[in-house]
Amino acid sequence: MTTPRAQLSPVPARQAAACMCDHGDVCSSFAPGHALHLIQSRLAAATTAGWTDALVTDLDRAAGIVQVQTLEGETFSLWNAGGAALEVEPGQPVAVHTRWNVLAIGALRYNVARA
């Protein structure tokens, strides 16, 4: 004869998941604006039609926001937790992949979220 097992009820999680960049460490999330995933980088590189040239118009380094204006006049506010705002200056040319949300600053690539 076997003893019936007691069913344990699921315990609700008491913590919210947080990205390590909130604590000054390397991003542990691939959500928009956090770490650039290898697949996202490769898709952006492979689909060259999605890139548009832009100029940096404004910065908020403390908040991680880079505002850019495309050569067609469209304006984007882009947020990145990884320091993209520390790498640019107003007036600097950049490129934005509008489909895969990648900001290119020279050879550097950042995953961005439209703010």
Side-chain angles (χ1 to χ4, degrees):
M1 184 167 162
T2 60
T3 309
R5 290 187 155 178
Q7 287 283 344
L8 297 176
S9 62
V11 178
R14 297 177 193 208
Q15 304 178 43
C19 182
M20 293 307 295
C21 67
D22 291 339
H23 306 288
D25 205 353
V26 177
C27 273
S28 58
S29 170
F30 295 111
H34 291 273
L36 181 65
H37 196 280
L38 177 63
I39 294 172
Q40 182 183 13
S41 176
R42 288 188 178 185
L43 285 169
T47 53
T48 56
W51 289 102
T52 183
D53 294 328
L55 295 172
V56 176
T57 57
D58 197 16
L59 295 170
D60 184 351
R61 288 189 169 99
I65 295 176
V66 178
Q67 188 169 19
V68 300
Q69 184 174 16
T70 67
L71 301 180
E72 292 80 27
E74 193 173 2
T75 302
F76 297 116
S77 288
L78 306 171
W79 175 79
N80 175 265
L86 302 174
E87 298 292 334
V88 293
E89 295 294 330
Q92 184 174 346
V94 295
V96 179
H97 199 291
T98 55
R99 180 171 183 195
W100 298 110
N101 295 321
V102 177
L103 174 66
I105 305 169
L108 301 174
R109 302 289 182 268
Y110 291 95
N111 177 7
V112 292
R114 292 188 190 185

